[in-house]
Amino acid sequence: MSGSVTRFARREWGPLFGTVWRGLAVRRWRAVPMTLAAVCLTALFQFVQNQDWGYQPVQNIGSVRAEDPLWLALLRTPLSLFVPALDLPVWGALAQVLLVFGIAEICVGRWRTLGVAYLATLCGTLYARVGIALGPGTPFGLPATDAQVVDTGPSAAVVGLAVYVCWRYRAWWTGGAVVVAMVVEVIIKPNLAGKEHLAAIAGVLVLIGVQAWRERGRGKGGGPGQDGGVEPLPGTRSWKPPITS
């Protein structure tokens, strides 16, 4: 039994763990400069928005609501990712960013990490508008009152990044567990945040499908270490198929 568990763990997490371990061993905290900056920015926003003088400025630059004009929501969305939700513990947001962003930055590079994080957040932001338009009478609809809900925080980005990195490293069971957990979350508590997580996953799955289709057309080639990522340990699966973007 223990042997089967060990083999499963090595197959599921071995390449991912090896890449992260090597990245931290070789470069230490220099392997995750973007992640550290994101953690500091999130902590700064949390401090400022809890001050009498800072709440409104943070709202003006990083607070998104579905009732806002679309151009304004799109303008605020990049920074909204780093504005912690006021009704949730900030330590949870900081831990999510440090762990998931850090792993992603080492494994797929900082720019791809930011791109996937923004895509996931944007999908959640846009879904809120679609859900409200559909109304509460449909499975994917939302009540009109959700238009006034402040929509900030890194959770959608974290979920999207987790699914993307699991796909890159063929950690199928882990990626599937993330998706199932988000579905269960919506079943138990069908609120805006939970449905936005599913929208984020849907957007990342579309990205994965497009990239997989392009890579099949190009065949094998290229190599790891591009786009700021770290090469995997010898003997492990390559984390990055041939992409020349």
Side-chain angles (χ1 to χ4, degrees):
M1 179 66 178
S2 60
S4 299
V5 172
T6 300
R7 286 193 297 272
F8 170 80
R10 287 177 177 173
R11 182 174 63 253
E12 182 75 4
W13 302 303
L16 179 62
F17 178 80
T19 302
V20 173
W21 181 265
R22 183 181 182 185
L24 292 176
V26 172
R27 303 184 63 193
R28 298 185 182 277
W29 293 112
R30 291 176 297 164
V32 288
M34 183 272 294
T35 298
L36 295 178
V39 170
C40 292
L41 183 60
T42 303
L44 177 63
F45 275 137
Q46 173 67 9
F47 172 78
V48 172
Q49 73 177 353
N50 279 282
Q51 309 304 311
D52 292 338
W53 52 266
Y55 173 77
Q56 196 56 51
V58 172
Q59 294 293 300
N60 292 340
I61 65 175
S63 176
V64 176
R65 296 179 178 85
E67 66 179 3
D68 294 334
L70 180 59
W71 67 268
L72 183 59
L74 295 177
L75 193 62
R76 290 175 173 175
T77 295
L79 283 179
S80 73
L81 195 158
F82 305 107
V83 177
L86 287 170
D87 59 338
L88 297 175
V90 67
W91 301 112
L94 294 176
Q96 289 178 11
V97 173
L98 181 62
L99 180 64
V100 178
F101 275 62
I103 291 173
E105 183 175 5
I106 293 172
C107 293
V108 301
R110 65 182 62 94
W111 295 115
R112 186 158 298 182
T113 296
L114 280 175
V116 173
Y118 179 68
L119 171 66
T121 303
L122 183 61
C123 286
T125 298
L126 296 178
Y127 158 75
R129 296 170 179 271
V130 175
I132 291 168
L134 292 174
T138 60
F140 299 103
L142 295 168
T145 53
D146 280 351
Q148 301 171 2
V149 174
V150 177
D151 182 17
T152 61
S155 59
V158 165
V159 170
L161 280 171
V163 171
Y164 186 83
V165 171
C166 286
W167 169 68
R168 276 295 179 195
Y169 278 81
R170 306 301 186 258
W172 304 119
W173 288 98
T174 305
V178 172
V179 176
V180 170
M182 295 302 102
V183 172
V184 171
E185 176 190 19
V186 170
I187 293 174
I188 295 175
K189 191 176 182 180
N191 58 8
L192 173 62
K195 292 185 177 181
E196 283 191 344
H197 294 164
L198 293 184
I201 290 174
V204 171
L205 289 178
V206 171
L207 173 65
I208 287 172
V210 171
Q211 289 192 1
W213 175 73
R214 291 178 60 192
E215 288 157 10
R216 282 198 301 269
R218 294 179 181 181
K220 295 182 178 180
Q226 302 172 19
D227 193 34
V230 177
E231 295 184 6
L233 293 172
T236 64
R237 295 191 297 267
S238 173
W239 65 268
K240 190 174 179 183
I243 294 181
T244 57
S245 60

